[in-house]
Amino acid sequence: MAAKHGNEKGRWNLSEMYSGPKDPAIHKDLGAAKVEAKAFRKKYYGRIKGFGPKELLEAIKDYEELSDKWENAMEYAGLAYQADMTTPEIQALNDKSSKIGTEIGSDLAFFQLEVSSLVAADPKIIASQVVKTYKHLLERYARSEPHKLSEVEEQLTIEKDQFGVDAWSELQKKWLNTRTMTVEVLGKRRTMPYSEANTFRMHPDRATRASAVKSIYTTLDKDGEIFASAVRNICNDWIKVCERRKYKTPMGASLLVNDTEQTVIDNLVDAIERNSDLYQRYMRLKAKILGLPKLAFHDVTAPIPGGKKEGHTYDEAKKLVIKAYEKFDMDYSHAVKDMFKREHIDVFPRLGKSNGGFCSGWYNGKSAFILMNYNGSLEDIYTLAHELGHATHDYYSQRAQPPMNLGIALTVAETASIFGELLMTDTLLAEAKSKEERISILCHVLDSAGNAAFSVTARYWLENGMYDCIKRGEYLNYETICKLWEGSRARIYGGSVDWPREACAQWTISPHYFMPNFRFYNYPYVYAQMFVYALYEIYLREGKRFVPKLKEALSAGASLSPAEIGRIFGLDVTDRKFWEIGLNRYRVFLEELEELIN
């Protein structure tokens, strides 16, 4: 059983919510959630348009109370499934909760529609002190008003998407997580799940990396038209949605969700492209470090010799993360320690478990749950520090904000997680015992930030390119998408890397292209990387004076816009030159590495 319900080492403990997938309480709670959602609808449907601030506040509080009641059941079902996609009772529970979630969503679709209409028609309500806690939420609702459909149309969208466009996303995820791949690990052929094979892309042995990359991407390339069918249908569906909802561009909804402006993102990606030579410079330097004339695809994320050869045990990783967070601030480390104490981390890879890693906030428990696939690499230590940063963000925001102020825009949702990586870098560099170890650490930092800032910008261009193709009436088959990807990738890497033919399948592995009704899940990561690198520059100048500012920003949740959060630190994200601050931090790390090499 992948979802841990006792003390099985390395698997998360979900028993704070339910004893297991067969616990009668979870089915009782799911049934009650349906009933209470209908009661809420009966109480408020058609009445909100006449509300003043006091009545609106009462409705919001009732909505939050309702969402708290079903959170445990939905959270448990989703987490259990992510940890084990093969056990029948977990599959059935996830399916049941998904259907009930759709039914509840349909029943409650009216709420945001009516609140949006109310505050758009009467902006004075937003300014009222009665609802000041929700001021920014209501501002966002008012901005979304022109893009709302009728209640019936919203309900139909929710109901049909569950078995329509959502299925394309499920297909991509299920395909990846149910495949086994054969990799030659140090000369020995091994068959393993994709999630494990993926970790060998960063193996110290070059032949092992090459085998892993060849196995993964050849397999993906072979079924490329399946992935193209999924993306093509998702993109075409989204264009129709945008027409219905009156978004000017396919990116319009994303800008609203991420609480930012097109000009801000244009400035960001322009700055990245202007500075792409930094990443290419690092790629050439990395080739020199590895003793290669030029990097191959399987070398791009290769670890650099000089780190701990036998890897790090999970217990060692725990101690390092705690030390890094404590060094920044003892109080700030409490969330990290609480996650370990409550066993809220599912650690190791296994067949049927979701690949990659994520952190899911749990408001009722004032905590979070982390899924990762730990193999002892330096990358895994950083992943742990990163996801625990998300848990720290949840820790502060959940204690300071009500549930409806926790929908944090992705542009700033990575603040604590990327900052956690930088804290880990400080600790590892301070404890490094040799020049080689420092080189290994700096290369990891430049690899990670380079991927998030530079490579992800190429993904942004690819997504734009796919929509442009559709608008021109072109057919998005596998070959067309691959050519778009190769063109976008070249704008970032130039000629610094040799790419094999199967590398054209890189895009198929990213779940972000396969997320219906949530498009452009790419540029927020570029924004976040550069934003936090700018924060780090301030931290280096201010030291301990910076700590309360970070806590204030994390505690704000979604009650402030990303621009307002920037102002807590004295930063203006609307300034075209702002992004140069974060890019300069990348340059400093690169120059530190060059100095060590030279």
Side-chain angles (χ1 to χ4, degrees):
M1 189 71 65
K4 180 189 171 199
H5 306 297
N7 292 310
E8 189 178 353
K9 185 174 175 60
R11 302 194 180 196
W12 54 23
N13 187 349
L14 304 180
S15 63
E16 289 179 66
M17 291 184 281
Y18 301 99
S19 63
K22 295 182 180 180
D23 188 337
I26 192 170
H27 299 283
K28 179 182 177 182
D29 289 349
L30 285 171
K34 288 202 303 181
V35 172
E36 293 183 18
K38 292 185 186 301
F40 180 90
R41 178 181 176 84
K42 184 177 181 180
K43 180 178 180 180
Y44 286 109
Y45 180 73
R47 294 180 55 216
I48 294 174
K49 61 184 177 182
F51 280 2
K54 290 182 179 179
E55 294 89 351
L56 177 59
L57 179 63
E58 180 185 349
I60 290 174
K61 292 293 186 184
D62 283 354
Y63 186 91
E64 288 181 327
E65 184 179 348
L66 178 60
S67 65
D68 289 349
K69 288 180 180 178
W70 79 60
E71 184 197 26
N72 283 10
M74 297 296 184
E75 181 85 352
Y76 181 92
L79 292 174
Y81 181 70
Q82 291 297 321
D84 183 359
M85 298 182 179
T86 59
T87 300
E89 60 260 35
I90 291 177
Q91 291 176 330
L93 176 62
N94 183 64
D95 182 65
K96 179 179 180 178
S97 70
S98 177
K99 289 175 179 175
I100 289 175
T102 299
E103 184 177 340
I104 290 173
S106 180
D107 282 336
L108 301 182
F110 79 93
F111 184 68
Q112 185 175 343
L113 287 170
E114 291 195 19
V115 174
S116 298
S117 297
L118 172 69
V119 295
D122 188 1
K124 294 194 297 296
I125 291 177
I126 298 175
S128 171
Q129 288 297 300
V130 175
V131 292
K132 65 178 180 180
T133 300
Y134 302 96
K135 182 176 185 290
H136 188 59
L137 173 74
L138 298 176
E139 288 172 340
R140 295 175 74 179
Y141 275 16
R143 289 200 300 272
S144 70
E145 169 62 16
H147 309 291
K148 297 300 179 185
L149 304 177
S150 70
E151 186 197 1
V152 172
E153 288 173 320
E154 295 285 2
Q155 288 175 329
L156 283 171
T157 298
I158 293 169
E159 292 168 7
K160 288 190 68 62
D161 281 357
Q162 182 186 12
F163 305 108
V165 71
D166 288 353
W168 289 111
S169 177
E170 183 180 355
L171 173 67
Q172 189 258 2
K173 186 180 293 185
K174 207 68 175 280
W175 189 100
L176 283 176
N177 294 311
T178 57
R179 288 297 185 275
T180 58
M181 298 178 181
T182 300
V183 179
E184 279 200 21
V185 181
L186 299 175
K188 295 182 179 179
R189 290 171 65 84
R190 287 177 49 191
T191 300
M192 60 191 74
Y194 161 73
S195 61
E196 185 177 359
N198 196 45
T199 66
F200 285 104
R201 293 188 305 110
M202 292 162 282
H203 196 278
D205 178 61
R206 193 175 191 227
T208 298
R209 291 197 306 273
S211 176
V213 166
K214 183 77 173 176
S215 178
I216 291 169
Y217 289 100
T218 299
T219 305
L220 291 163
D221 183 56
K222 182 177 67 176
D223 289 335
E225 287 298 345
I226 294 175
F227 295 103
S229 293
V231 161
R232 180 172 60 250
N233 282 287
I234 289 169
C235 288
N236 275 288
D237 176 83
W238 183 243
I239 284 178
K240 293 300 181 184
V241 169
C242 290
E243 291 173 359
R244 287 282 181 181
R245 293 189 180 276
K246 300 176 183 176
Y247 291 117
K248 293 180 180 178
T249 70
M251 197 169 153
S254 171
L255 295 170
L256 279 175
V257 169
N258 289 303
D259 211 2
T260 189
E261 303 291 337
Q262 184 70 57
T263 54
V264 172
I265 305 308
D266 289 344
N267 289 340
L268 168 63
V269 296
D270 286 349
I272 293 294
E273 186 162 24
R274 284 197 310 274
N275 289 274
S276 61
D277 63 302
L278 281 177
Y279 194 44
Q280 294 169 26
R281 187 167 128 199
Y282 170 59
M283 291 288 100
R284 290 189 291 270
L285 182 61
K286 185 170 184 176
K288 179 180 178 181
I289 295 168
L290 291 171
L292 301 170
K294 192 176 185 180
L295 293 183
F297 179 24
H298 52 267
D299 300 315
V300 172
T301 56
I304 300 300
K308 189 176 179 182
K309 292 182 180 178
E310 66 273 23
H312 295 261
T313 67
Y314 181 60
D315 285 340
E316 289 172 340
K318 284 169 59 176
K319 291 175 183 176
L320 279 169
V321 173
I322 290 171
K323 181 182 289 187
Y325 277 70
E326 283 183 342
K327 184 179 177 182
F328 176 70
D329 181 67
M330 190 62 67
D331 177 70
Y332 192 78
S333 70
H334 182 78
V336 170
K337 296 172 187 173
D338 188 60
M339 289 289 290
F340 290 129
K341 181 180 179 180
R342 294 167 73 173
E343 298 179 300
H344 281 191
I345 306 175
D346 198 289
V347 183
F348 302 109
R350 57 187 175 271
L351 184 63
K353 177 179 174 179
S354 180
N355 62 290
F358 65 78
C359 178
S360 178
W362 179 34
Y363 184 80
N364 284 339
K366 297 295 183 287
S367 185
F369 288 92
I370 289 171
L371 180 143
M372 63 183 301
N373 286 276
Y374 189 86
N375 276 301
S377 67
L378 183 62
E379 171 75 21
D380 292 331
I381 293 172
Y382 272 95
T383 297
L384 185 61
H386 178 100
E387 299 302 341
L388 284 166
H390 282 303
T392 300
H393 204 154
D394 288 331
Y395 177 86
Y396 281 101
S397 60
Q398 288 168 356
R399 284 160 176 76
Q401 300 295 334
M404 290 190 73
N405 274 352
L406 297 179
I408 303 169
L410 286 173
T411 42
V412 287
E414 298 291 325
T415 300
S417 54
I418 296 173
F419 198 78
E421 293 182 43
L422 289 164
L423 295 178
M424 178 55 67
T425 298
D426 287 345
T427 297
L428 290 173
L429 287 175
E431 296 191 359
K433 295 179 173 58
S434 66
K435 182 177 86 168
E436 290 73 23
E437 196 171 347
R438 291 180 65 82
I439 289 171
S440 176
I441 294 163
L442 284 169
C443 282
H444 172 83
V445 170
L446 291 163
D447 279 332
S448 178
N451 177 65
F454 293 97
S455 184
V456 174
T457 297
R459 296 184 202 174
Y460 166 77
W461 288 327
L462 169 60
E463 188 161 2
N464 265 325
M466 288 192 290
Y467 289 116
D468 288 342
C469 275
I470 293 171
K471 290 174 186 176
R472 291 194 299 266
E474 297 177 24
Y475 184 66
L476 275 184
N477 60 12
Y478 179 62
E479 182 182 0
T480 299
I481 301 172
C482 286
K483 286 181 179 178
L484 287 171
W485 168 242
E486 289 169 337
S488 298
R489 187 179 64 195
R491 292 169 69 179
I492 291 297
Y493 288 90
S496 63
V497 176
D498 280 333
W499 304 98
R501 199 204 68 78
E502 64 269 15
C504 67
Q506 273 180 291
W507 63 270
T508 65
I509 214 166
S510 173
H512 303 157
Y513 295 126
F514 300 87
M515 296 173 66
N517 299 316
F518 200 91
R519 311 306 292 149
F520 288 94
Y521 198 94
N522 35 51
Y523 73 80
Y525 287 97
V526 186
Y527 183 118
Q529 190 71 46
M530 292 296 95
F531 179 70
V532 179
Y533 265 37
L535 297 189
Y536 184 68
E537 290 282 272
I538 296 172
Y539 167 56
L540 293 178
R541 291 200 305 264
E542 296 184 352
K544 291 298 180 181
R545 290 185 292 116
F546 176 84
V547 175
K549 294 179 183 178
L550 182 60
K551 291 179 181 178
E552 180 185 351
L554 301 185
S555 298
S559 68
L560 299 176
S561 71
E564 289 170 322
I565 287 174
R567 288 198 283 273
I568 292 172
F569 305 95
L571 299 172
D572 180 6
V573 300
T574 65
D575 186 339
R576 187 172 183 272
K577 296 179 181 178
F578 164 73
W579 303 108
E580 298 292 339
I581 303 172
L583 284 159
N584 185 62
R585 168 40 48 186
Y586 190 86
R587 181 179 290 103
V588 169
F589 279 135
L590 178 57
E591 289 171 351
E592 288 178 8
L593 178 62
E594 288 172 334
E595 186 176 347
L596 285 170
I597 297 302
N598 295 328

